[in-house]
Amino acid sequence: MNRPLSERDRELIWHPYTQMKAWPEAIGITKGKGLFLEDEDGNQYMDLIASWWVNLHGHSHPYIAKKISEQAASLEHCIFAGFTHEPAVRLAERLLPILPGRMAKIFYSDNGSTAVEVALKMAVQYYQNRGTPRRKIIALEGAYHGDTVGAMSVSERSLFTRQFDHWLFDVQFIPFPEQALTTLNILEQALQAGDVAALIVEPLVQGSAGMRMYPPKVLSNMIQLCHSYGTLVIADEVMTGFGRTGKHFACDAIKDTGPDLICLSKGLTGGTMPMGITACTLEIFDAFLSDDATKTLYHGHSFTANPLACAAALASLDLLLEPACQHSIDNICLLHAQQLLRWQDHPAIRHIRQCGTILALELNTGAETDYLNKDRDFIYKFFLSHKLLLRPLGNIIYLIPPYCISSEQLQQAYEIIELFLNQLNIRYHGPSFQQYTVPDN
Ligand code: PMP
C-alpha cells in the first residue's frame, strides 16, 4: 500500500506560511467537491475560507472543469507578446464592462502579488512617461498586498516583512480609517507635500490584517481627495472582488468616483487556476504609447494570459453572473447579518463585523488581538477536529465561504462555532461567568 501523502510530503515539501518545526505534517487532500475537501482517511472538511479566499463556486465545479478541459484540447498556452487568443480577448471584453471606475485595458499576470506589482509600476511610470515624475506611494496601516518585494513594500511592516524591511522601498502609511477624519486629514497633508504617485488600498476590507472593515464613504472620500491632487488610486480587489462584499466588486459600493487601477486574482478563476489582472484607465494606457522605447511597460511573465486560466475565469464569470449565484450571495449576506445580531453580545467575542459574505469574529481570549495570539493553534485545531476549515488570523476567525454553501450547511457551521464560543467563555471566565443565552429570533 502507498505510504500516506502526509508522510511523503514531510520528506520533501516546504509549505507556505508554515513553521515547519511546529507543523511538519500536512493533511493529505485527495478530493474536493462543492463545499468539501476530503482527506486520505475519508474525513470531509467544510472549506469555510474558500481555500485562502479563492474558491467561489465550490471545489471541482463540473462546468469550470469542462471549460478548462475543452480549452486544453485546443490551445493550452501561447506566448502573449505579439500574439493573442480568444479566451484572453473574450475575458477582457466581458470583464471591462462590469469593473468599477473607467477601466479600459486589461494587463494579465499570474497572482495577486504580481497584479499589485504591475499596478505600482504602471502608476510610477505613468508620471515618468508624462514628464512629471512622482515617486511616493501611500498605503494604509495594516495593509497586506502580497509577498513579492514591491507588494511587501506597500504592506504594513510586520511579522511577514521583518526579515526584509531593509530591502523594501519607503512608503508613507496613513492610519486605517477607524476615525475617518483623522485619516483624511493625514492623507491630505501627505498629498499636499507633493510627489505622490498613488494611494493603494484594499477597498472596504483589509483581509490579512484581520478582516478589518471601513465604510464606502471613507473610500470614496479618499479617492476624491487623491484625484484633487492628481494622484492615482489603486484598488487592490484581490480578496474583495467577485461578490465577496455582496456586490461584484467592493468599489461598486461607491457611486461618485472610482479607482484608476484595479488588481484582481483569487476569485478571478473561481479559484481553479492561478491568474492576476491589473486593469487601468485609458489615460494611463495612453501615457505609455510612444516612439520612445523607454516608455514601454517592460513587464511580463511566461504564463501571462494563460488560455486555461482565461477559460476558467470565463466559466467562473458565467456562473457568477447567473441569477442563482447572486441569490446565494444575498442569502449568505443575510444569514451572516442575522448571526451577527445573535452573537454581538457573546462574552467570548471582542468584536464582530460583516461585509457581504465575510463574517469576522475577534475572539476574547484574555490576550491582545494579534496574529501570534497564543490560542491561535488551539482555535485552528478545535475547528479541524469538528471538520471545519477555519484558519484563524491569530485570535480572529472569519467565514468567507464558497457561494455554493447551503443555508443548512452555514447553519451547521454557526452551531459548531457557537459550541466553541461557549467553551472559550468557560475556559477564560469559568462557568460562573455571565451565562450566555441565544436570543430567540
Ligand atoms: N492583495 C490582497 C488584498 C490579498 O489578500 C492577497 C493575498 N492574500 C494578495 C494581494 C496577494 O495575492 P497572492 O497570494 O495571489 O500573491
Side-chain angles (χ1 to χ4, degrees), residues 150-416:
M152 272 200 291
S153 296
V154 292
S155 302
E156 165 103 6
R157 302 293 178 269
S158 70
L159 177 69
F160 300 171
T161 65
R162 194 165 297 154
Q163 307 294 336
F164 314 102
D165 282 357
H166 60 287
W167 259 15
L168 306 181
F169 60 75
D170 273 345
V171 165
Q172 179 166 358
F173 290 95
I174 60 171
F176 176 82
E178 236 146 17
Q179 310 283 339
L181 267 181
T182 309
T183 300
L184 291 169
N185 284 338
I186 296 176
L187 175 60
E188 178 138 39
Q189 283 163 20
L191 293 166
Q192 267 165 0
D195 202 25
V196 184
L199 165 74
I200 180 165
V201 294
E202 290 157 90
L204 305 188
V205 189
Q206 278 190 334
S208 297
M211 302 294 161
R212 293 207 293 175
M213 300 167 188
Y214 59 94
K217 185 75 190 140
V218 194
L219 177 63
S220 106
N221 287 343
M222 287 193 294
I223 297 178
Q224 279 168 339
L225 203 51
C226 285
H227 286 171
S228 69
Y229 285 85
T231 290
L232 299 175
V233 176
I234 303 170
D236 176 353
E237 293 245 17
V238 166
M239 195 268 294
T240 51
F242 302 99
R244 281 303 172 197
T245 62
K247 299 187 184 294
H248 289 332
F249 299 94
C251 291
D252 287 333
I254 54 174
K255 301 217 161 29
D256 34 10
T257 186
D260 306 281
L261 295 130
I262 298 179
C263 308
L264 303 170
S265 188
K266 293 199 186 273
L268 170 60
T269 62
T272 53
M273 301 282 296
M275 182 157 78
I277 277 181
T278 309
C280 71
T281 60
L282 197 58
E283 195 188 357
I284 294 175
F285 176 79
D286 281 349
F288 289 72
L289 298 178
S290 174
D291 297 326
D292 176 355
T294 64
K295 294 197 170 172
T296 308
L297 181 66
Y298 285 111
H299 189 106
H301 300 277
S302 317
F303 284 102
T304 295
N306 174 258
L308 304 179
C310 291
L314 282 164
S316 177
L317 211 51
D318 286 344
L319 297 173
L320 184 76
L321 299 180
E322 271 180 15
C325 187
Q326 191 55 49
H327 179 74
S328 303
I329 291 173
D330 293 344
N331 189 45
I332 297 170
C333 296
L334 180 72
L335 292 174
H336 277 353
Q338 289 170 347
Q339 199 57 39
L340 182 146
L341 287 179
R342 287 195 194 102
W343 277 339
Q344 64 186 350
D345 295 323
H346 197 295
I349 299 178
R350 185 171 291 153
H351 189 246
I352 181 164
R353 44 191 178 260
Q354 181 203 0
C355 181
T357 67
I358 309 165
L359 180 67
L361 287 69
E362 205 168 312
L363 301 178
N364 200 351
T365 61
E368 295 231 327
T369 291
D370 184 37
Y371 188 79
L372 292 183
N373 182 284
K374 62 180 173 32
D375 281 322
R376 185 264 173 206
D377 292 355
F378 161 69
I379 300 168
Y380 180 56
K381 284 176 184 165
F382 174 93
F383 288 115
L384 275 185
S385 71
H386 285 80
K387 308 293 177 284
L388 300 194
L389 172 49
L390 278 173
R391 201 184 143 87
L393 293 157
N395 55 313
I396 298 170
I397 54 170
Y398 59 90
L399 293 94
I400 179 166
Y403 304 146
C404 65
I405 193 169
S406 68
S407 301
E408 294 70 33
Q409 288 167 331
L410 199 48
Q411 213 56 52
Q412 221 180 316
Y414 293 149
E415 277 164 28
I416 297 170

Side-chain angles (χ1 to χ4, degrees), residues 53 111-114 116 144-147 202 207-208 236 238-239 265-266:
W53 328 340
N111 54 62
S113 303
T114 55
V116 168
Y144 175 81
H145 295 288
D147 287 345
E202 290 157 90
S208 297
D236 176 353
V238 166
M239 195 268 294
S265 188
K266 293 199 186 273

Side-chain angles (χ1 to χ4, degrees), residues 3-14 20 24:
R3 284 193 302 143
L5 260 178
S6 50
E7 200 179 304
R8 286 159 54 211
D9 173 284
R10 182 162 50 174
E11 286 167 13
L12 306 169
I13 293 178
W14 189 346
M20 297 302 293

